[in-house]
Amino acid sequence: MKKIWIGIAALVITIGAASSLQFFDLPFQTEKEPEIVEPPLLDSLANQVFLYGINVTGLNIVEGTVSKNQTLGSILAPFNVPYQIIDQIAKKSKEIFDVRGIAANKKFTVVTPADSSQAAYFIYEPNPAEYVVFNLDSIDIYKAEKPAEFRTKEAGGIINSNLSADMTGRGVTYDIIDQFADLYGWSIDFGALQKGDKYKVTYQEKVIDGVVVGVSDIQTAYFEHKGEPFYAIPFEQNGEVTFFDQNGDSFKKAFLRDPLKYSRISSRYSLKRFHPVQKRYKAHLGTDYAAPTGTEIRSVGEGTVTDARYTSANGNYVKIKHNGTYTTQYLHMSKIAKGI
């Protein structure tokens, strides 16, 4: 008993010198694993800042707009990026985004560490929907899309002047107007629209940062011409959407009625028209469309280009063979597109 008491006393004296444990607790305590307490995160996820998918918490951000004749080198020079790095970036980025395409009035962002004057990232926005990230440290380049919101848009109204003016007045884009024209181009003569005709169309808008950057194809459409309704009902098969009317007939016909976006018809097809230059009556075997210079001209149907050149009688013209029966010609154009 004496030896045991001495041993315990020695243990108490030793521990007592280094801690405040009570003497009577010692014989009954078991050794515990040390408790690991995680230190608080310096920056919780709620406090972190992300820009273009990059964690920019605590970094310096400079946003700007490209000036006229400004290049990648002149943009990055004030941010102490060595010429060698700019050269490497320019060479490596050609397949993803050629930096020679940097244009005036486009937005860019430069990210610089708080403890350095040399930029770490350069981000360029070629359009409202995309951005290109240049990692100036790893010489890595990639392109990405901004997060987008898709919302259904519905527009309709009564024609007071013409379809194009009334639709644009209600915020409908030219892409949708063009699709609407193609959809109804065979069923309705847009040159003979009447005041009071009605239309309705639904589609989706692609919105980024509160700005509409694109539209989907038409989802549903309706047109009432001279009191007669024309419903466009979509049906999807094998990934392709085809529109049918209320009688189950397909809207897709052999030819479009008009090869242009909406324009004034200056002279119609006639077997006896008074020629404005020759001052005599003669056949006018075509339809003349008045449109601004540069207006896109579309073939009224699929076919093969058999001639595309200039002649004194036709001006710039293109001739298209559609099948064994039909051939169409497009005359007096301001120019012929490349590759035809």
Side-chain angles (χ1 to χ4, degrees):
M1 290 294 293
K2 185 176 182 181
K3 290 181 179 179
I4 294 175
W5 173 253
I6 295 173
I8 293 176
L11 179 62
V12 172
I13 293 170
T14 303
I15 297 178
S19 69
S20 60
L21 294 175
Q22 296 296 318
F23 171 81
F24 294 106
D25 292 337
L26 289 178
F28 306 101
Q29 272 195 332
T30 57
E31 187 176 354
K32 291 184 178 181
E33 291 289 333
E35 184 179 355
I36 300 175
V37 180
E38 294 287 346
L41 294 175
L42 294 178
D43 294 295
S44 65
L45 289 177
N47 295 326
Q48 290 182 2
V49 180
F50 287 84
L51 189 64
Y52 300 104
I54 304 168
N55 190 339
V56 296
T57 308
L59 306 182
N60 295 322
I61 310 297
V62 176
E63 295 180 338
T65 303
V66 180
S67 302
K68 187 177 180 180
N69 299 324
Q70 203 170 17
T71 64
L72 178 65
S74 60
I75 294 172
L76 294 179
F79 299 95
N80 300 313
V81 179
Y83 174 78
Q84 292 81 357
I85 292 180
I86 296 175
D87 186 54
Q88 290 179 51
I89 285 288
K91 290 178 179 178
K92 189 175 180 179
S93 67
K94 286 183 179 179
E95 294 183 0
I96 300 170
F97 176 79
D98 194 334
V99 297
R100 292 177 296 181
I102 290 178
N105 301 319
K106 299 293 185 179
K107 181 183 176 181
F108 70 84
T109 303
V110 178
V111 180
T112 306
D115 58 352
S116 174
S117 61
Q118 182 175 320
Y121 291 94
F122 172 69
I123 301 98
Y124 174 74
E125 298 185 17
N127 57 64
E130 295 180 314
Y131 60 90
V132 185
V133 175
F134 299 84
N135 188 324
L136 304 176
D137 292 330
S138 63
I139 317 299
D140 185 30
I141 306 104
Y142 60 91
K143 183 185 289 186
E145 287 192 1
K146 292 183 178 180
E149 172 192 356
F150 293 89
R151 61 191 184 194
T152 300
K153 176 77 181 253
E154 183 179 282
I158 300 174
I159 295 178
N160 293 311
S161 54
N162 61 70
L163 183 63
S164 180
D166 287 314
M167 291 184 83
T168 54
R170 293 185 177 272
V172 181
T173 67
Y174 285 108
D175 287 339
I176 294 298
I177 295 174
D178 197 27
Q179 289 183 40
F180 196 88
D182 286 345
L183 185 60
Y184 286 102
W186 185 258
S187 304
I188 297 172
D189 182 0
F190 286 107
L193 295 183
Q194 291 187 340
K195 189 174 181 179
D197 285 351
K198 302 174 183 178
Y199 68 89
K200 187 176 182 180
V201 62
T202 61
Y203 55 96
Q204 280 195 325
E205 291 181 329
K206 183 178 181 180
V207 183
I208 294 178
D209 296 334
V211 178
V212 177
V213 298
V215 294
S216 69
D217 292 338
I218 288 176
Q219 294 178 329
T220 60
Y222 170 81
F223 198 84
E224 185 178 310
H225 178 49
K226 298 180 180 179
E228 182 180 359
F230 294 85
Y231 291 90
I233 304 166
F235 176 75
E236 183 175 351
Q237 187 175 28
N238 299 325
E240 182 178 353
V241 177
T242 304
F243 285 90
F244 294 84
D245 63 19
Q246 64 268 32
N247 300 317
D249 297 323
S250 174
F251 267 77
K252 192 173 184 180
K253 305 296 182 180
F255 299 111
L256 290 175
R257 181 183 294 273
D258 298 318
L260 296 178
K261 292 185 179 181
Y262 302 105
S263 56
R264 177 175 58 86
I265 296 178
S266 57
S267 183
R268 296 183 179 275
Y269 180 96
S270 174
L271 295 177
K272 191 176 181 181
R273 183 195 70 158
F274 184 78
H275 197 285
V277 176
Q278 300 178 7
K279 305 299 182 182
R280 64 186 180 92
Y281 286 94
K282 61 181 298 187
H284 183 247
L285 305 180
T287 301
D288 293 345
Y289 294 87
T293 301
T295 298
E296 179 185 36
I297 300 171
R298 300 166 295 180
S299 169
V300 296
E302 293 183 352
T304 302
V305 175
T306 59
D307 208 354
R309 57 194 175 95
Y310 175 86
T311 65
S312 57
N314 296 333
N316 290 315
Y317 84 100
V318 171
K319 186 176 182 180
I320 297 178
K321 182 178 181 180
H322 301 285
N323 50 39
T325 304
Y326 296 107
T327 298
T328 57
Q329 295 186 93
Y330 309 81
L331 316 178
H332 311 303
M333 301 184 295
S334 61
K335 66 178 180 179
I336 300 173
K338 292 181 180 180
I340 295 180

